[in-house]
Amino acid sequence: MTSSSQASALLAGLAVVIVAATFFGALARRIGQPAVVGEILAGVLLGPTLFDGALSRALLPTGIRPLLTAPADVGVAVFMFLVGLDFDRRTVRGTGRIAVSVSLASLLLPCGLGMALGTWLLREHPGPDRLGFVLFMGAAMSVTAFPVLARILTDRDLDRTPLGALALCCAALADVLAWSLLAVVVAVVAPGGGPARALLFLPYLLLMRYPVRWLLGRLLKRPGAGAQPTAVLLAAVFAGLLLSGAATEWMGLHFVFGAFLFGAVVPRSGAEGLRARLRERVGLVNDVLLLPVFFVVAGLQVDLSRFRWSDLGQLALILLVAVAGKLVGAYTGAYANGLDRRVSCALAVLMNTRGLTELIILSVGRQLGVLDGRLYALMVVMAVLTTAMTGPLLRVVWPSDLALRATPQDLTRERREPVTAGGAGARRPHGPS
């Protein structure tokens, strides 16, 4: 294929990607689902699942597929940077012990169950690194998609309610813990980095936390920079996130960690204008163009047409472990800290959201060779189904009209005091300190 025809096919393929992702994303919203469910489905349908791959070969010829990897990686890097930019540590600290308890419970139980499942799945999906596979399955079962969860709460006007704020805090902290666990997994199985390079992450973290954060703070304090970011400031931010991703990729920890870390160290004070402009302009381009390419690249590796009966049994077990681990873990952590049963159920349902974040983790596993094609496809289906069930389950356990009227006191259950000689005992709230 000549370079001219290759460029023509690439541009036409990108147009197909944008149209398909937009159409299926809008269709998902029409039926009450987050757009990411439809966008992931679009990627799967553009892959080899339909017509034995004939549709995929016609719309996205084999010659242009390697070229799609670069914009897909940039889209994921920008997405993780925006996630880090939106992560506010002060909000997490303000929730006290309940956010920590729910986050840990919703991570440890599915992680343990995922590792047990990984040990069993080794019989069907043997690989060169048994420990890495088991650890990866634990990390993949533990993740909660903080950005998708935020979108679900915003669409239902629940983001500013007590339940919504608590769910976002728990999801943000759980995501940090899950990504940290994944970093350990990548350090174990990555062929390019190795333990020596991975040890550089700690000094790199200190470098980002202090000198780089200080430098960004100085740039934001320049006259007018915070309210109306200049081209120089935006260029510095983009260069920084790409270099940070390149650094962690070189260490063998994948570029998503560097991109997220750079977003997390951007100072919150004085950066309101920068954050708003990045979400408005960069976020829009990323959502419309770059991330849909990522969905397609991921979908090209999913072939649902070759499912066997044994695969359906494995899918049922994967779903059982993923859903039960999250629901039971989050519910236990919430109820043990004094939350009402219904509120604990709603929080557990929200923590079961996976979506795009799960897809990114699965792509990391696929790139590292931890997941084979069959298991990767099963895990993608799990990611879509667990995200799709969030909305319907939430409407059952915590309807929007009830959530909008709820006050922080309504989230806690009341404990009836024992009757004393002075009369009936009073009832007082029993909740988190």
Side-chain angles (χ1 to χ4, degrees), residues 43-191:
V44 172
L45 294 179
L46 286 175
T49 296
L50 296 180
F51 310 114
D52 198 25
L55 180 64
S56 175
R57 290 190 297 271
L59 298 177
L60 299 169
T62 306
I64 70 169
R65 293 183 186 182
L67 302 178
L68 295 174
T69 304
D73 288 345
V74 173
V76 172
V78 173
F79 171 81
M80 292 305 300
F81 165 74
L82 293 175
V83 171
L85 192 66
D86 286 334
F87 178 65
D88 194 339
R89 297 172 298 280
R90 295 171 298 181
T91 304
V92 175
R93 285 199 297 266
T95 60
R97 72 186 184 194
I98 186 169
V100 176
S101 298
V102 174
S103 301
L104 286 175
S106 67
L107 180 132
L108 293 178
L109 182 59
C111 180
L113 293 176
M115 289 191 290
L117 175 64
T119 304
W120 182 80
L121 288 174
L122 276 171
R123 298 181 300 176
E124 291 289 333
H125 307 275
D129 196 319
R130 298 173 62 88
L131 175 62
F133 176 81
V134 171
L135 292 175
F136 179 86
M137 289 300 297
M141 293 296 180
S142 305
V143 70
T144 296
F146 172 76
V148 177
L149 175 59
R151 182 61 180 270
I152 291 174
L153 293 171
T154 301
D155 289 344
R156 300 176 187 276
D157 296 324
L158 299 178
D159 54 319
R160 299 186 184 276
T161 63
L163 174 65
L166 179 60
L168 287 175
C169 292
C170 295
L173 186 55
D175 258 12
V176 171
L177 296 173
W179 283 111
S180 301
L181 176 60
L182 182 64
V184 174
V185 176
V186 175
V188 171
V189 303

Side-chain angles (χ1 to χ4, degrees), residues 97 100 128 140 188 230-231 253 273 328 337 368 398 404 427 430:
R97 72 186 184 194
V100 176
V188 171
T230 63
L253 297 178
V328 175
N337 278 274
L368 295 174
W398 192 251
L404 292 173
R427 294 196 307 171
H430 174 62

